[in-house]
Amino acid sequence: MDARILVVDDDPALAEMIGIVLRTENFEPIFCADGSEAFGVFQTTKPDLVLLDLMLPGIDGIEVCALIRAESGVPIIMLTAKSDTTDVVKGLESGADDYIVKPFNPKELVARIRTRLRPAAAATSASEHLRIGDLELDVAGHEVRRGAARINLTPLEFDLLHALASKPQQVFTREMLLEQVWGYHYKADTRLVNVHVQRLRAKVEEDPDNPSIVMTVRGVGYRAGAVV
């Protein structure tokens, strides 16, 4: 099996369909239909990725996501029947890496999963170290440090920081980051980038309200802060 996928959804028909799709792609699905049980199942099964419905019995997907994210950087893709801005942003702010609106194309779901499971920064040299602002990125070790202090990032947050650090003179539009970090090759929701930049700044900036690591270029996008 390629990877173990925890599917948290209380719709039996949808869960069955997702299970068929995942097994066809050589993934191993694990199922949970209750939000209040999901975190325990996550801890027991240690999946490689979580597909998490937003609306669940017990506790909702946003709370489940926050519980998982508090102890793990495992990729989380939210499944939502709502395109409402508030719900989507809350899901992303709670720690989800991506989201997909139901009903969805199975091929699109598999593409999102494979993108999130791909080895981070695979094309870089194993010995590569990069600087962004006063941070040092150890690409092979997937670590970020400020001096002796290690900063814990999720794999996606690391990918986002690495994309900026690898081309320090370049300004990245949100669409460029969606393609490079999320693997989107078509028009997509740029809120993904905005929310993840906020989450990244909360971890790497000494003053997130006055960022020096991930800089905003008004009307365009983001760039790396100057090395100090």
Side-chain angles (χ1 to χ4, degrees), residues 57-80:
I59 61 175
D60 66 21
I62 291 171
E63 191 170 344
V64 174
C65 185
L67 288 170
I68 293 173
R69 191 55 78 227
E71 72 166 43
S72 173
V74 68
I76 300 172
I77 300 175
M78 298 286 267
L79 307 174
T80 175

Side-chain angles (χ1 to χ4, degrees), residues 11-121:
D11 181 336
L14 181 64
E16 182 180 6
M17 182 274 282
I18 292 173
I20 292 169
V21 170
L22 294 179
R23 291 188 187 97
T24 300
E25 297 293 329
N26 212 34
F27 294 122
E28 178 188 350
I30 302 155
F31 299 97
C32 177
D34 191 313
S36 59
E37 298 173 3
F39 185 58
V41 174
F42 170 81
Q43 290 180 308
T44 302
T45 59
K46 295 179 169 54
D48 299 292
L49 182 142
V50 180
L51 295 177
L52 180 60
D53 191 20
L54 194 63
M55 303 300 290
L56 292 165
I59 61 175
D60 66 21
I62 291 171
E63 191 170 344
V64 174
C65 185
L67 288 170
I68 293 173
R69 191 55 78 227
E71 72 166 43
S72 173
V74 68
I76 300 172
I77 300 175
M78 298 286 267
L79 307 174
T80 175
K82 295 183 177 181
S83 57
D84 181 76
T85 298
T86 303
D87 288 319
V88 168
V89 171
K90 280 183 179 177
L92 295 172
E93 288 177 341
S94 69
D97 297 295
D98 200 353
Y99 75 95
I100 187 166
V101 178
K102 298 184 283 189
F104 46 79
N105 184 312
K107 289 183 179 179
E108 182 183 356
L109 178 64
V110 170
R112 303 272 188 100
I113 290 171
R114 291 203 180 280
T115 299
R116 295 275 53 83
L117 290 175
R118 77 184 190 278

Side-chain angles (χ1 to χ4, degrees), residues 7 44 58 93 112 130 195 198 200:
V7 182
T44 302
E93 288 177 341
R112 303 272 188 100
L130 297 172
V195 174
Q198 290 173 8
L200 182 60

Side-chain angles (χ1 to χ4, degrees), residues 185-217:
H185 297 287
Y186 49 86
K187 183 175 175 59
D189 187 350
T190 55
R191 289 176 299 180
L192 278 170
V193 179
N194 299 339
V195 174
H196 280 84
V197 165
Q198 290 173 8
R199 281 174 43 194
L200 182 60
R201 281 175 171 165
K203 293 184 178 182
V204 302
E205 301 284 1
E206 295 191 290
D207 181 1
D209 292 330
N210 295 285
S212 61
I213 306 295
V214 181
M215 308 293 292
T216 298
V217 180

Side-chain angles (χ1 to χ4, degrees), residues 163-185:
L164 297 170
S166 62
K167 296 182 179 178
Q169 305 306 315
Q170 180 168 321
V171 177
F172 288 83
T173 66
R174 291 165 179 82
E175 289 77 13
M176 290 167 67
L177 290 170
L178 278 170
E179 181 171 345
Q180 185 165 335
V181 178
W182 279 266
Y184 284 87
H185 297 287

